[in-house]
Amino acid sequence: MDTANGNATTASAAPAAPAQPNGHREDPGGFKLKFCTVCASNQNRSMEGHLRLALANYPVISFGTGSLVRLPGPTITQPNVYKFNETSYDSIYRELEAKDPRLYRANGLLNMLGRNRNIKWGPERWQDWQVGMPRVKKETDKGFEGMEGGVADIVITCEERCWDAVIDDLLNRGSPLNRAVHVINIDIKDNHEEASVGGKAMVDLADSLNQVAKEEREKVGAAAFDSGSGAARASFDERVPEVIGEWQERWPNLPATWTLAWF
Amino acid sequence: MASTPAVPIEEQLKQLNAARKLALENSAYYDRIVKGVLPVIGPTSSIELKRWGAEFLAESLATPVLSMRDKESLTLSVLDTLKSLLESEQDDAIVLKASIAAAASAYPVVLRWIIHNSYHTEAWEQTSAIKSRILRIWDGAPAPVRLSCIKFAQRVVLAQTTSNGQEVKYGGLDISLGMVPANHPLLDPRLMEAEATGLLDRMLGVLQDNSNDALLVDATLNCLSILIRTRPSTSNRIINCVLNFNPLKLANSPMTPKNKVLMKSMEKTTRMLMINILKRHVSSRDPNNQHSGRVQQYVERLMRSRAEIFDEAGRKRQLADQAAAQYGDLKRQKMQDASAAAPEPAAPAQPAVIPPLAPGPQTLAAVFTLTNNPGLQAFDATSIPANLVAKIVARTLNTLDQSVLDFAVNGIRSRLHTLQAAAVTAAAQYAAHGAAGLPGAINPATAPLGVEEDDDDYEPNLDAAEDTEQILNKLDNAPPETALDEYADPNAALGLGPFTLAPPPLIDADVASKLSSAAASRLFGPLSSLSSEGPSKKPKAGINRLAASSYDRDSWLTVATRLATRSTFGLEEEEQEEEQTSAVKSEEGAVSHPLASTFNQSIREMLFTYILEDWRPRIEVAVAWLSEEWYNDQLTKRTGLRNAPLHYETWALRLLDGFMTFITAQDKVLTRFLAEIPELSGELLGRLKTLCGDPNTLGLAMTSLLYLVMMRPPARELALDTVGGIWVEYEEARPLAAKYLSKWRPGWVEQQMHLQAAKAVAGGGGNGAAGIAA
């Protein structure tokens, strides 16, 4: 598809309201893309995204790409370090609360962990995730609905390093599932405020992408091939870069990178 | 799971989804459920059902929960449906995309089955039909279908080329040409390999055409890694093809948001693939090592051109920002100011001779008034608040041209000389006329101190020699007249004697250290607001950089590091000595810190914290700082002062310890850090040993050491000693350490073995090993 087409669709592909209020919204039903959010420790940015996307009724899971879960400690050289997949948000919460409630409340950690333990059990590591393993035993997780198959259509990372780690890992895995996945990085600074902004931006991106995917689904059969202009005929996969380009114009402070990779 | 047309599609989909959930919950049901849904999703079903079915088949054939044996039976049972889906469904991209994905998962499984069950010709025929159908629709299909075709072709290539056995044994990735016996009745290995080569060429076509279609380019690039890695016969062809691919071709087209995304995507994806190959090659000692140099160059070139292309935009934006902030204008104004200030006074200065004082008595104000402008002369300077005056004076002196100042000072001096010369006559007149001259204390040599009160009374009756202005001036100058006392000293004559400020109040060590840490923290204040130059932004100034060449973060950090290292050069020693002597006198001498070094130490502490806050990108700051420390230590050593404290080693260790806490296996910055800091020591390298305890970071530590051995000859022995130490202490690291040691210190490992064996025989404890290593 050429550039002229891309511009022609700008108006039609623009989503409704970019920013959603921080809360539930009506589930419109219908087709939904499956999302996966990724940051370094699966604590702040990816969990903010996880919550927001779940509240927007998208199926979503989240991971961290670091070797360990690292949280700020009393000084910069003494971080609190935990193992992925083995430590629950609740146990981290209780440990930090016992260590120094004042400090960890003041720096927002307890607040964050309190939120996280209501979303899912504990931080998960991307590299240990077996893609395609059914996730049927996770009914209590937020965003569980629709995620049973254990695969995602869109992976959103929150930092260039995480995107690199995800792509590198996917290359190493050798793509046994033959399933295409769009991996998108959004650069979000690792603090509570930026994470919140980033979460909103993620929902905006998700809405825009889902809108396009839905349009593709609604076209049936031969009609899809013959209807209208080239842009209308373009598939979801083709329109992803265009959607990201438009999204980037709306969120110029969150530089994005995209690729199509394989699970 | 039989479907009757009476049941609405929504209802059927609901039932199907329930069945799928059942299979996901218990993989034992897969076989039954898949076989059960096949009639429902057949070629005559509605499009919704076919879409669901194709996607369910793709999911089931790919699922990692089933063993190869289970998958075989599942796959064989769906071939027929898959074939009819592909053939009947001409139009719907979603059905085709999922069906081809299912076929990609099925292909290696069927191939394996046929290898062992050559009698089953039917399955192979079906598969061949599926394959040729897919390859036929590949060109001209909608994008999602083409994506799946690329992946299908990749799986065929993977299955029909010879493996080097380095792939994981799951998901059918390990099925390769090597498994096909030469005399197989159905399969001809040579034909299969030829087909694979053809398909690979077809896949790579998108790169050879230098396509702009990022979707297809990315999809192709992202499935090449395993081929390069595990199928040696393909790797040359692929790497050459990728090296000739230019992902930044779009740079010449208009920079629309979409084009930016596409270009960035292709560049980054290409780079990631190349980096992945490099990493794998280095670790696996692949014969493809021949490429690593070229790949490395390619990656570097890509990064440079990317920086150039995207930088262009970045630079422009920055200028605009500056203009918005009036920063650029401010700068320009300054230039104009400077250029205006320099020549302008010089030009009028020559003709504008300082007017000689009118004969007769003068006020002090008149003596110091150089301007001819009556308006300015009339200006009452005392109406300006003192602090403002101080500011104006400081600013003016700062920008004033030296020659102008000299000119003015000389002018005043000559006036004073004239007055002094006239003083003699004046004194005579004074004596003669009885205070007929102005007693305005202008002639200090003759004016007695006590005269002032009398003069004040006298003034109202002053004769016309003095106009009101002068009176006002005189009144204005009344307060400073006390200062004239000094001039009243005959010895001082009229020369401006040396002036000393009152000594500042004494501050104790506590206050001083508080003040210096406050000063240090102010030093770091601007860092957060200073523009952070993009990391790849501008050319590095290297050794030629100046601390204050520009007001950006880099220059400011250079100022900070130099303040930390050099500002009190030569002072610390003295204070340490003093401290020591005082320590001899009183036991508590060590408690008080030397004042000068408190300042340095607080800057150092803050630099340390600053670097650790975000150490990966700030590693450059760390290296720059340590280089300054090292340089300063060298200077200190050269001065030959005893007891002079050396800082380099301490801070290098602290920084390294700081990084260690956060290090992960990908942190190559560690290698860079060790390579770039000016001096290494045994202790410093010893810290690397702690990384060897963790298998994740072991490789990083060893790579760093190897890099030092190879690239830093002066540190080679030291690094090898450390590797030796690691060999002795860490069982896990031995294979890797031994590899390096056997190359760089032949015979050492064997010697160690002997020594250890000897030790064991002697029954001595094993704790001496480290000693021997050294």
Side-chain angles (χ1 to χ4, degrees), chain B residues 1-2 16 23 28-41 56-57 60 69-79 81:
Chain B
M1 204 58 55
L16 289 171
Y29 293 135
Y30 255 116
D31 197 50
R32 245 191 295 162
I33 290 173
V34 170
K35 284 173 186 161
V37 301
L38 287 181
V40 187
I41 61 173
F56 180 63
L57 286 186
S60 309
R69 179 183 286 275
D70 292 337
K71 260 198 198 155
E72 263 171 5
S73 87
L74 198 66
T75 306
L76 292 173
S77 66
V78 305
L79 282 179
T81 312

Side-chain angles (χ1 to χ4, degrees), chain B residues 1-299:
Chain B
M1 204 58 55
S3 74
T4 53
V7 184
I9 287 171
E10 287 77 27
E11 192 56 37
Q12 285 190 29
L13 283 176
K14 212 181 247 176
Q15 286 174 11
L16 289 171
N17 276 327
R20 170 174 170 259
K21 208 164 266 180
L22 208 61
L24 288 172
E25 273 162 20
N26 187 347
S27 63
Y29 293 135
Y30 255 116
D31 197 50
R32 245 191 295 162
I33 290 173
V34 170
K35 284 173 186 161
V37 301
L38 287 181
V40 187
I41 61 173
T44 51
S45 308
S46 73
I47 192 78
E48 285 85 0
L49 290 177
K50 278 197 276 191
R51 282 179 179 177
W52 186 93
E55 284 178 344
F56 180 63
L57 286 186
E59 178 183 74
S60 309
L61 295 189
T63 184
V65 290
L66 293 179
S67 67
M68 188 47 97
R69 179 183 286 275
D70 292 337
K71 260 198 198 155
E72 263 171 5
S73 87
L74 198 66
T75 306
L76 292 173
S77 66
V78 305
L79 282 179
D80 201 33
T81 312
L82 212 51
K83 180 163 163 269
S84 57
L85 273 179
L86 279 167
E87 277 166 3
S88 74
E89 192 49 65
Q90 309 278 340
D91 299 330
D92 194 76
I94 295 172
V95 175
L96 286 176
K97 180 185 176 186
S99 308
I100 298 171
S105 300
Y107 193 82
V109 178
V110 177
L111 184 65
R112 184 173 177 272
W113 167 259
I114 296 296
I115 289 171
H116 299 298
N117 306 281
S118 54
Y119 61 87
H120 202 158
T121 48
E122 194 199 343
W124 187 239
E125 274 160 15
Q126 279 171 331
T127 311
S128 301
I130 290 175
K131 180 163 69 182
S132 52
R133 168 82 185 144
I134 293 174
L135 299 182
R136 219 163 343 125
I137 58 175
W138 185 348
D139 287 322
V145 181
R146 292 183 72 180
L147 287 183
S148 270
C149 290
I150 292 172
K151 194 69 188 41
F152 177 80
Q154 184 246 11
R155 291 309 292 259
V156 175
V157 175
L158 200 63
Q160 299 191 2
T161 42
T162 318
S163 159
N164 62 1
Q166 286 187 357
E167 68 274 44
V168 279
K169 305 274 181 280
Y170 102 123
L173 296 177
D174 55 326
I175 292 161
S176 72
L177 194 64
M179 293 171 152
V180 182
N183 54 356
H184 195 281
L186 280 180
L187 308 170
D188 181 348
R190 278 176 310 145
L191 284 181
M192 287 169 76
E193 186 157 27
E195 186 189 28
T197 316
L199 278 179
L200 180 63
D201 282 351
R202 201 167 160 190
M203 278 174 73
L204 296 176
V206 69
L207 299 181
Q208 276 163 337
D209 300 346
N210 246 330
S211 165
N212 282 342
D213 194 337
L215 194 71
L216 299 182
V217 169
D218 287 351
T220 309
L221 289 171
N222 276 325
C223 64
L224 291 177
S225 171
I226 188 167
L227 288 174
I228 302 174
R229 220 161 59 220
T230 67
R231 302 292 186 265
S233 59
T234 67
S235 56
N236 262 340
R237 173 108 189 71
I238 298 177
I239 292 178
N240 281 329
C241 189
V242 178
L243 288 180
N244 287 323
F245 171 64
N246 173 20
L248 293 169
K249 210 188 84 186
L250 265 183
N252 298 325
S253 52
M255 274 280 201
T256 60
K258 184 186 167 192
N259 271 353
K260 261 191 255 176
V261 172
L262 294 179
M263 192 163 60
K264 239 168 126 180
S265 167
M266 289 194 280
E267 187 273 336
K268 194 81 210 272
T269 310
T270 318
R271 191 143 50 90
M272 284 307 295
L273 174 67
M274 286 314 195
I275 291 172
N276 183 270
I277 293 168
L278 275 182
K279 255 199 280 192
R280 285 298 177 131
H281 278 183
V282 168
S283 63
S284 66
R285 300 219 161 273
D286 208 272
N288 290 310
N289 254 341
Q290 56 193 40
H291 290 296
S292 56
R294 283 174 63 207
V295 172
Q296 186 90 47
Q297 278 174 357
Y298 179 82
V299 170

Side-chain angles (χ1 to χ4, degrees), chain A residues 31 212-220, chain B residues 51 55 94:
Chain A
F31 175 78
V212 173
K214 233 180 184 168
E215 280 168 22
E216 183 190 40
R217 293 263 152 186
E218 279 159 10
K219 289 178 296 193
V220 171
Chain B
R51 282 179 179 177
E55 284 178 344
I94 295 172

Side-chain angles (χ1 to χ4, degrees), chain B residues 397-586:
Chain B
L397 284 178
N398 205 19
T399 53
L400 197 59
D401 189 44
Q402 183 65 37
S403 61
V404 176
L405 184 63
D406 289 346
F407 182 67
V409 169
N410 286 331
I412 302 288
R413 197 172 280 153
S414 71
R415 278 182 179 183
L416 290 173
H417 277 303
T418 328
L419 283 175
Q420 192 187 14
V424 186
T425 5
Q429 281 174 354
Y430 185 70
H433 302 282
L438 190 77
I442 278 305
N443 192 338
T446 53
L449 286 176
V451 167
E452 282 166 337
E453 282 91 6
D454 300 346
D455 291 343
D456 283 347
D457 294 340
Y458 183 76
E459 269 177 352
N461 308 324
L462 207 57
D463 58 9
E466 226 180 21
D467 59 19
T468 43
E469 229 170 71
Q470 279 172 316
I471 296 169
L472 281 174
N473 273 339
K474 186 168 174 289
L475 286 175
D476 294 342
N477 281 299
E481 266 174 344
T482 43
L484 285 177
D485 294 356
E486 288 179 15
Y487 295 108
D489 180 3
N491 297 332
L494 281 170
L496 296 168
F499 174 74
T500 44
L501 278 170
L506 283 173
I507 46 174
D508 56 33
D510 274 355
V511 179
S513 73
K514 249 180 231 158
L515 288 177
S516 49
S517 54
S521 65
R522 287 194 59 181
L523 185 60
F524 283 82
L527 275 183
S528 55
S529 60
L530 274 182
S531 65
S532 63
E533 300 278 321
S536 60
K537 231 3 113 52
K538 47 172 186 198
K540 295 270 174 281
I543 200 152
N544 292 326
R545 72 191 192 282
L546 294 170
S549 52
S550 58
Y551 190 59
D552 59 16
R553 193 180 289 183
D554 276 359
S555 323
W556 195 249
L557 278 167
T558 314
V559 172
T561 49
R562 295 210 173 144
L563 274 177
T565 54
R566 297 197 208 160
S567 57
T568 56
F569 178 71
L571 296 173
E572 291 171 297
E573 294 76 359
E574 288 169 27
E575 296 202 15
Q576 280 225 336
E577 272 173 41
E578 270 172 31
E579 192 184 85
Q580 286 200 339
T581 46
S582 68
V584 175
K585 284 178 210 151
S586 65

Side-chain angles (χ1 to χ4, degrees), chain B residues 316-333:
Chain B
K316 272 179 200 145
R317 218 174 300 126
Q318 201 190 15
L319 257 181
D321 286 350
Q322 279 183 355
Q326 298 273 300
Y327 183 62
D329 288 348
L330 197 67
K331 230 175 168 179
R332 226 162 289 131
Q333 270 171 8

